[in-house]
Amino acid sequence: PDSYWSVVNQFGVGKSTVGVAVMQVANAIVELLLSKVVTLGNVQVIVDGFAAMGFPNCGGAIDGTHIAILGPDHQASQYINHKGYFSMVLQALVDHKGRFTNINLGWPGKVHDARVFRNSGLFRRMQEGIYFPVQKITVGDVEMPLVILGDPAYPLIPWFMKPY
């Protein structure tokens, strides 16, 4: 959690060398680790875990959070969030134990959670019915698909449960 200049001074390398090293590490994390750490896993275990907490036929809970960043040189106003600081939005879907099962990162802080969600791969796969296996339960006389839980910022759609 240090600045490029501090690393440059500490190790006697150029700023561009530090930048290249940071990008190589970031790319390695994305290419080699992300798919092993952020994974859906066993859907039935997740559904059973949420059911034990009182949420039947639930495949995950979603929300967005803001990751603080230094203000960029280009379009800086787009990165100022509703709390007044520069950020990027991280959208995360988690299982019943809070483990990441899907993430989306990179939207400017000014962008609303619902817009990030509607433009995510998760949204597209849920709309197409391919993210979770088809698994419906009957509540009263209504068939309920596997759902995601979220806060009021998200849209009300058949596979998304939000408070009302």
Side-chain angles (χ1 to χ4, degrees):
D2 217 338
S3 69
Y4 279 18
W5 284 116
S6 175
V7 175
V8 164
N9 291 331
Q10 189 172 4
F11 293 98
V13 295
K15 186 176 176 187
S16 63
T17 302
V18 174
V20 168
V22 167
M23 291 308 299
Q24 287 175 337
V25 170
N27 287 333
I29 288 171
V30 169
E31 291 173 14
L32 302 173
L33 293 178
L34 192 60
S35 64
K36 293 177 182 168
V37 176
V38 179
T39 181
L40 182 56
N42 186 325
V43 175
Q44 193 56 52
V45 170
I46 295 169
V47 170
D48 292 344
F50 275 110
M53 296 179 352
F55 298 102
N57 218 34
C58 177
I62 194 168
D63 204 359
T65 189
H66 290 266
I67 308 299
I69 62 169
L70 294 175
D73 294 332
H74 183 65
Q75 295 182 331
S77 65
Q78 294 299 308
Y79 289 84
I80 299 174
N81 65 30
H82 64 281
K83 292 188 177 180
Y85 63 90
F86 292 104
S87 69
M88 294 181 86
V89 178
L90 166 68
Q91 173 188 275
L93 179 70
V94 298
D95 68 11
H96 62 291
K97 291 187 174 182
R99 295 175 296 207
F100 293 111
T101 59
N102 185 280
I103 60 170
N104 185 326
L105 175 66
W107 285 83
K110 191 173 190 174
V111 178
H112 191 270
D113 284 353
R115 183 171 172 210
V116 173
F117 180 58
R118 284 204 181 265
N119 286 283
S120 69
L122 173 64
F123 181 86
R124 283 188 294 281
R125 290 191 302 268
M126 289 295 295
Q127 282 289 87
E128 295 168 5
I130 59 173
Y131 189 74
F132 292 126
V134 176
Q135 180 173 322
K136 295 183 179 183
I137 62 170
T138 303
V139 178
D141 59 347
V142 177
E143 266 195 343
M144 184 180 120
L146 202 59
V147 298
I148 291 175
L149 302 176
D151 66 24
Y154 292 95
L156 183 58
I157 43 186
W159 47 264
F160 198 104
M161 182 67 68
K162 66 186 232 172
Y164 57 92

